[in-house]
Amino acid sequence: MSAAPPFCAIDFGTSNSAVAIPSADAAMRLIELEPGQRTMPTAVFYFAEGPHDVDGPPRAFGRAAVAAYVEGHDGRLMRSMKSILGSALIEQTTDVGGGRGAKYADIVSGYLKRLRRLAGEPERVVLGRPVFFVDGEPERDATAQAQLEACARAVGFTDVHFQYEPIAAAFDFEQQAIREGRGEQIVLVADIGGGTSDFSIVRVGPERVQRLARRDDILASHGVHIAGTDFDRHIELAGLLPEFGYRATGPSGREVPSGIYFDLATWHLINTCYAPLRVAEWRGMKSWFNDLRQHARLMTVLEERLGHELAARAEGAKIAVSGGADTTVDLGLVERGLVLPLSEKTAVDALRADLDRIIATAHETVALAGLRPEQVDALYFTGGSTGLRLLVDGMAAGFPGAARVTGDRFASVATGLGLHAQRLFAAPR
């Protein structure tokens, strides 16, 4: 049995995660978390049937978790677990199927345990964290980091450090810039993932790369709790859920209550829509609908528990229009032959407020650094949501003199965290 690596770095993302460990040549490498894949969806599927093992109820992780859900296995799919950090939900128990319950803290810990096991069970770790887990609430933000640290320690990590995710991405950019022979630069890192949009202004260059203390090079960090899962929600509300009665009016002229639709479009609230009393309430609200087909579709979603699948179709539609093309959404699972068009214009209109807020946050970060946009040498884009052309083009337009560089959308942060871990843990003590 090979010895455990001395340390690792973990990018525990809202949508995807990655892990870096030292390699034989003393560099850092991203490990395979699934066959042929260096990133893994941050997803856990709890099977309703099967015996407990030493780790708890039977589970699948990553792509296997999503596949188990799509294949119709009885159980509960958990995603966007990172969004729970900083809230009281972390200590609450949720139904995971088969009459079993699990604390949200144990769900997060279970996923981290899987990552640690795949890494070879090191005891020291650098964990990435967003600039703000919670916007505008420093106490809750500190609580979120403490909760994540507690989960990491619960699975065997004894030495836990944190680094801001966009700063880690800046370290990855720095390596690329040095390889290309570039000198000192000021880079605006845009790390736009599933849960947060984070920005840092960092001074990078060959004269600075070996310094362990880089605080003086971090000119400003800022962020906003708006990102990919918010885009998915707005796409679902604007493009899909109107066909299920969202914002429809009934015979009396009253608008159909919207709470159920907001919950159906929010991953961690979807299961609350299936509560028997809530389903019965909506079954009795048929008279609120002018178009009874909309009520029938809504009831199919609630009674057959199709909310997560509906959200996944919205995410797929967002990806399809991200390059600027129109698309269609097949909802035949709800009603035979139901196919909805989604135009780029609908997507733009649905996302405009979020995109404007994210772009404004980027400019606020530059101002916090005491800089003007023309003083930024490069924009470095990373995170899954930087695949959205509308966002990247809109941000680049505000920095016309900056080089536009795209990193590995899913691995840049983990690579940078690995570089930081190497400098931190390999440095003489």
Side-chain angles (χ1 to χ4, degrees):
M1 183 175 179
S2 60
F7 56 86
C8 72
I10 294 178
D11 175 19
F12 173 57
T14 301
S15 299
N16 294 276
S17 295
V19 179
I21 64 171
S23 60
D25 61 359
M28 296 293 290
R29 65 180 179 89
L30 299 186
I31 64 172
E32 281 195 4
L33 299 179
E34 296 176 302
Q37 303 290 341
R38 298 183 305 160
T39 64
M40 182 168 74
T42 309
V44 183
F45 186 86
Y46 282 80
F47 292 95
E49 298 180 350
H52 281 238
D53 57 23
V54 293
D55 292 328
R59 283 166 290 179
F61 297 87
R63 290 171 181 81
V66 176
Y69 174 78
V70 171
E71 292 165 5
H73 290 275
D74 190 16
R76 172 90 183 271
L77 177 67
M78 302 294 299
R79 291 183 65 182
S80 301
M81 297 170 281
K82 190 174 179 179
S83 63
I84 295 165
L85 296 169
S87 74
L89 277 176
I90 196 75
E91 292 302 325
Q92 294 182 15
T93 297
T94 186
D95 175 29
V96 293
R100 297 164 167 153
K103 287 175 64 174
Y104 282 106
D106 293 336
I107 295 169
V108 173
S109 294
Y111 188 83
L112 291 177
K113 186 172 186 177
R114 175 74 169 187
L115 296 181
R116 179 173 181 257
R117 184 171 293 165
L118 291 168
E121 301 193 330
E123 295 185 354
R124 293 183 287 175
V125 64
V126 168
L127 281 164
R129 58 149 294 166
V131 174
F132 299 121
F133 282 103
V134 183
D135 292 340
E137 298 186 51
E139 289 185 4
R140 284 186 61 199
D141 185 76
T143 296
Q145 178 171 310
Q147 290 170 344
L148 183 54
E149 180 174 348
C151 289
R153 292 188 181 280
V155 301
F157 288 114
T158 58
D159 193 0
V160 181
H161 296 258
F162 289 90
Q163 179 57 273
Y164 291 126
E165 290 155 0
I167 293 172
F171 295 157
D172 181 50
F173 170 81
E174 184 173 56
Q175 292 288 314
Q176 294 183 37
I178 291 172
R179 286 196 299 270
E180 294 168 4
R182 284 180 263 165
E184 185 173 301
Q185 292 182 287
I186 291 177
V187 57
L188 171 60
V189 178
D191 178 14
I192 305 169
T196 59
S197 294
D198 292 325
F199 301 93
S200 286
I201 289 282
V202 185
R203 186 184 290 109
V204 300
E207 302 300 321
R208 301 176 179 277
V209 66
Q210 294 302 326
R211 297 168 58 196
L212 179 60
R214 299 293 298 270
R215 182 177 296 275
D216 291 346
D217 292 335
I218 302 164
L219 306 183
S221 291
H222 194 24
V224 63
H225 209 268
I226 300 171
T229 55
D230 300 285
F231 303 159
D232 299 342
R233 183 169 65 253
H234 291 312
I235 291 290
E236 185 171 355
L237 287 167
L240 277 63
L241 291 178
E243 294 299 323
F244 295 77
Y246 173 58
R247 304 202 73 174
T249 54
S252 67
R254 293 179 299 180
E255 186 173 298
V256 174
S258 59
I260 192 77
Y261 301 102
F262 288 117
D263 290 351
L264 278 172
T266 306
W267 265 95
H268 66 276
L269 296 178
I270 291 173
N271 262 58
T272 67
C273 300
Y274 306 144
L277 287 177
R278 201 170 189 190
V279 174
E281 177 188 17
W282 278 91
R283 191 179 296 118
M285 292 179 66
K286 191 173 183 179
S287 62
W288 281 70
F289 291 74
N290 265 325
D291 188 341
L292 297 184
R293 292 176 303 172
Q294 295 175 349
H295 180 261
R297 292 167 187 158
L298 177 62
M299 292 315 302
T300 298
V301 170
L302 298 181
E303 292 172 348
E304 298 187 17
R305 298 187 170 219
L306 299 175
H308 288 94
E309 184 60 34
L310 206 62
R313 299 294 170 96
E315 181 184 13
K318 175 198 70 178
I319 294 169
V321 301
S322 66
D326 297 346
T327 191
T328 57
V329 185
D330 185 349
L331 294 178
L333 76 167
V334 177
E335 178 186 292
R336 186 174 182 179
L338 181 61
V339 177
L340 304 180
L342 179 68
S343 68
E344 182 188 18
K345 182 181 185 306
T346 298
V348 170
D349 291 345
L351 301 180
R352 177 54 58 203
D354 280 352
L355 299 184
D356 288 348
R357 183 70 188 94
I358 291 169
I359 292 169
T361 303
H363 284 273
E364 290 165 10
T365 309
V366 175
L368 286 171
L371 300 175
R372 300 183 305 277
E374 58 267 26
Q375 293 176 281
V376 176
D377 297 308
L379 302 178
Y380 188 57
F381 293 99
T382 187
S385 293
T386 54
L388 190 64
R389 180 184 63 83
L390 303 168
L391 175 59
V392 173
D393 288 350
M395 190 173 301
F399 300 89
R404 181 167 158 176
V405 183
T406 301
D408 186 319
R409 289 194 290 132
F410 298 107
S412 292
V413 170
T415 300
L417 290 172
L419 292 170
H420 181 66
Q422 185 179 42
R423 295 166 190 160
L424 179 68
F425 294 126
R429 298 209 173 188

